[in-house]
Amino acid sequence: MKERLEALKQEALQELSAVGNQQELNELRVKYLGKKGPLTEVLRGMGALSAEERPVIGQVANDVRAAIEAVIEEKQATYTRLETENRLRAEMIDVTLPGRPSQQGAVHPLSKVIQEIEDIFIGMGYTVAEGPEVEQDYYNFEALNLPKDHPARDMQDSFYITEEILMRTQTSPVQVRTMEKRKGDVPIKIICPGKVFRRDDDDATHSHMFTQIEGLVIDRNVRMSDLKGTLLQFVQEMYGPETRIRLRPSFFPFTEPSVEVDVSCAMCKGSGCRTCKQTGWLEILGAGMVHPRVLEMGGYDPKEYTGFAFGMGVERIAMLKYGIEDIRHFYTNDLRFLKQFLHV
Ligand code: DAH
């Protein structure tokens, strides 16, 4: 029995010395030390031994078991260490590598300018109104005193969807919608920002889609001087306190009288430069006293109420404020352009 144990030990140690990986080691552990292994079997057979032999063989069996266990343990320690090392190597992070900066989004310059204009008018007691971009011919033209055969419709080539529905060419239809909604109540003091659409060929100063802000005030005793004071206040907050305006007679079907409003050139302060074509003035908006016909169609008695209205192109206001030379920059989303407005 002693020889059998010795042989078992030799065999086990030899097999263990050739072990190549964790799995083989596990298999050998089960093979030699497991419940069904030869060592267990030998120990089970000890009952048949004599009382003198039993402790001797028992000692040998324990030694053999200890020797095998020691080798397995040693191998196991090596595999555990290797595994840890491999995992650490695989998970290694080089903290000295430069990081990838995350891209930061920002408010689009047009949205910024709209917000700025809204803030100025909200400060004067206005509220913001909105209307649909797909509009009825009635609101876009008819109720603004532009009947079907009116020559002024030629000023605006339109995208028609049906005979009666089109992409709005201006934000002025919100004037009529607001009057209808307010049903004769005063005062009305609204501004309306939004997209408008025209069949223009796109170039540095034209776009088939652009942004307007409409203003409308209706109350008793609203006068032209109120319009002028309001617009002066607006441009001085927008372009600086030294900014001046001038009103030139003009024509819009929905206002009478109508004016074109110029602002003193923000670039040269009025002394004349390339931006203002040496005139010192830049045209920024159209305005006027709401036409009695428009008041009437909106449900307001022109004998009792008067009002003023104005409309401006947001892109143009922004271009003049920031010296942007091409309107298309606003829509092409070139990050080199957009990034310049991160901190303005
Ligand atoms: N809707 C005009 C346009 O698109 C701008 C305008 C001019 C609006 C005079 C007004 C106004 O409200 O009174 O050219």
Side-chain angles (χ1 to χ4, degrees):
M1 194 165 243
K2 199 172 164 190
E3 289 77 51
R4 246 187 88 195
L5 283 169
E6 273 307 322
L8 198 60
K9 180 177 158 188
Q10 288 316 316
E11 187 194 324
L13 294 185
Q14 195 171 347
E15 272 204 81
L16 278 169
S17 72
V19 88
N21 55 45
Q22 174 79 62
Q23 199 191 336
E24 283 173 22
L25 184 65
N26 290 346
E27 282 164 13
L28 289 183
R29 180 188 283 124
V30 174
K31 179 173 173 186
Y32 286 103
L33 304 179
K35 283 203 183 80
K36 291 176 187 152
L39 206 55
T40 316
E41 203 185 299
V42 171
L43 292 173
R44 224 179 264 138
M46 291 221 329
L49 296 177
S50 67
E52 300 87 63
E53 269 182 317
R54 210 175 290 155
V56 181
I57 297 300
Q59 183 63 46
V60 175
N62 277 339
D63 287 352
V64 168
R65 185 183 181 90
I68 296 174
E69 264 174 357
V71 175
I72 288 179
E73 222 111 274
E74 189 196 311
K75 296 251 173 204
Q76 183 58 57
T78 310
Y79 285 132
T80 306
R81 202 187 64 236
L82 277 178
E83 198 200 340
T84 309
E85 277 173 10
N86 283 339
R87 206 180 57 236
L88 286 179
R89 199 170 309 122
E91 291 174 358
M92 188 168 70
I93 294 170
D94 183 352
V95 292
T96 65
L97 281 175
R100 275 183 225 111
S102 54
Q103 295 279 343
Q104 199 193 338
V107 178
H108 190 278
L110 265 184
S111 304
K112 243 179 202 173
V113 173
I114 291 172
Q115 277 168 12
E116 198 176 345
I117 296 172
E118 281 179 0
D119 283 349
I120 294 172
F121 282 101
I122 287 168
M124 291 193 265
Y126 287 66
T127 53
V128 177
E130 283 186 341
E133 291 170 9
V134 180
E135 185 56 286
Q136 296 171 38
D137 182 279
Y138 173 77
Y139 291 111
N140 196 79
F141 290 129
E142 201 96 20
L144 288 167
N145 201 27
L146 277 123
K148 282 239 157 29
D149 55 355
H150 197 288
R153 285 199 183 198
D154 290 347
M155 296 194 308
Q156 300 174 350
D157 260 0
S158 321
F159 291 113
Y160 273 90
I161 293 174
T162 68
E163 284 248 314
E164 295 302 327
I165 296 173
L166 74 161
M167 304 302 291
R168 69 176 173 196
T169 60
Q170 48 187 355
T171 42
S172 305
V174 185
Q175 291 187 21
V176 188
R177 287 180 170 277
T178 305
M179 281 189 264
E180 279 187 359
K181 218 178 282 166
R182 295 293 300 276
K183 295 190 168 70
D185 264 3
V186 285
I188 290 178
K189 271 178 103 175
I190 53 142
I191 52 160
C192 164
K195 293 191 182 81
V196 299
F197 307 83
R198 294 186 192 176
R199 291 190 46 178
D200 261 329
D201 289 327
D202 293 358
D203 62 24
T205 52
H206 295 84
S207 169
H208 61 281
M209 184 209 81
F210 61 101
T211 319
Q212 279 192 338
I213 291 187
E214 190 81 12
L216 175 70
V217 172
I218 296 175
D219 205 345
R220 293 182 179 85
N221 305 316
V222 176
R223 292 164 303 184
M224 192 90 177
S225 52
D226 296 318
L227 170 64
K228 191 172 177 186
T230 301
L231 293 178
L232 183 63
Q233 178 70 24
F234 163 64
V235 299
Q236 291 189 338
E237 287 196 45
M238 194 72 195
Y239 293 110
E242 70 289 353
T243 314
R244 291 160 291 133
I245 55 169
R246 75 176 181 188
L247 273 47
R248 287 179 291 107
S250 183
F251 172 81
F252 298 101
F254 31 87
T255 44
E256 181 58 38
S258 303
V259 289
E260 214 90 65
V261 181
D262 294 345
V263 62
S264 54
C265 180
M267 299 289 161
C268 63
K269 309 279 175 230
S271 61
C273 68
R274 248 182 47 192
T275 302
C276 60
K277 301 203 178 83
Q278 312 304 331
T279 63
W281 294 97
L282 295 159
E283 185 194 320
I284 57 158
L285 53 84
M289 300 307 290
V290 181
H291 197 289
R293 287 274 299 133
V294 174
L295 284 170
E296 231 163 43
M297 279 188 280
Y300 285 75
D301 181 357
K303 288 195 207 74
E304 196 176 347
Y305 302 107
T306 51
F308 65 73
F310 55 87
M312 63 185 107
V314 180
E315 284 82 350
R316 183 161 166 79
I317 303 267
M319 287 165 85
L320 295 176
K321 179 157 178 153
Y322 296 116
I324 299 163
E325 81 298 353
D326 195 319
I327 195 170
R328 290 167 293 194
H329 287 316
F330 288 115
Y331 317 117
T332 41
N333 285 334
D334 186 330
L335 286 179
R336 290 169 301 176
F337 171 74
L338 296 175
K339 276 187 178 154
Q340 296 176 59
F341 298 90
L342 277 179
H343 305 293
V344 296

